[in-house]
Amino acid sequence: MLLLKLFLFFSFFFSTTFSHDPHPLPRPLIIQYPEGIETHFHEFDDELKSQCTSWRFAVEANNLSPWKTIPEECLGYIKDYMTGRGYEMDLERVSKEAGVYANTLELSGDGKDVWIFDIDETLLSNLPYYVEHGYGLEIFDPVEFDKWVQRGIAPAIEPSLQLYEKVLDLGFKIFLLTGRSEQHRSITIENLTKAGFRRWDKLILRGREHHGKLATVFKSEKRSEMVEEGYRILGNSGDQWSDLSGAAASSRSFKLPNPMYYIP
């Protein structure tokens, strides 16, 4: 049996080594070039998507230095995220977790337990504006944005509206703390009311004395004033880290997704 195996081995070796066939390897190994090219492009798309996902994660984790626009190559990715199920699911998850937390709290009953909400990209969505301005690809234009604000048609972010109603029903004081200018007070009230928000206790906007201050500084100062007045900040919802960080931070904060712009 051993001799037979050796004979067969050497017969195969010599037939493949010294054959005049120009294709000594098995024929099924022929490369299908069109399929290979398609796979290459598919792998490139996957790599770009992974890079843009990594960038968005760094944004949400506050790991990037201040940035002014989204990466140009990520425009399609950000558009798909903001208009697709991903953004909606992330909003729902944040609001759900905030609601679970709110239910665990025992309020004092003295009217001093506060939940703070930012407005833009937290209660009201400016996505219709950013659809027309490249989903954050364009440098922010405050004049054009103010024109949008003055229209007073920003829709509610539905998961945030649900959370808002929950904490309101639980007995929290609701303070709205926004970087919008005091000159937009009346249109902001009108827009919020149309979108379904009701019965807030304070609406705090930027006065002239606050113009030029970083959002982190402005909002820290306002939260500090609340604490000095005896309020307990138990919850805070915002789409920017500048809404949540700094002095007099809340007992727990909830960051909503926003890969379209950064406010320091």
Side-chain angles (χ1 to χ4, degrees), residues 4 9 15 22 26 45-46 58 62 82 102 130 134-135 137 142-143 162 177 186 193 198 205 226 234 239-240 253:
L4 178 60
F9 170 78
S15 65
D45 290 342
D46 285 347
N62 202 28
M82 293 300 301
Y130 282 98
Y135 298 90
L137 186 61
V143 174
Q162 293 169 16
L177 178 55
S186 59
T193 304
R198 58 194 173 91
L205 302 99
M226 296 174 198
L234 301 183
D239 68 292
Q240 300 288 321
S253 298

Side-chain angles (χ1 to χ4, degrees), residues 23 193 258:
H23 302 288
T193 304
N258 184 359

Side-chain angles (χ1 to χ4, degrees), residues 113-124:
D113 297 312
V114 172
W115 196 291
I116 298 174
F117 287 94
D118 173 53
I119 292 180
D120 294 300
E121 269 58 67
T122 300
L123 297 183
L124 298 177

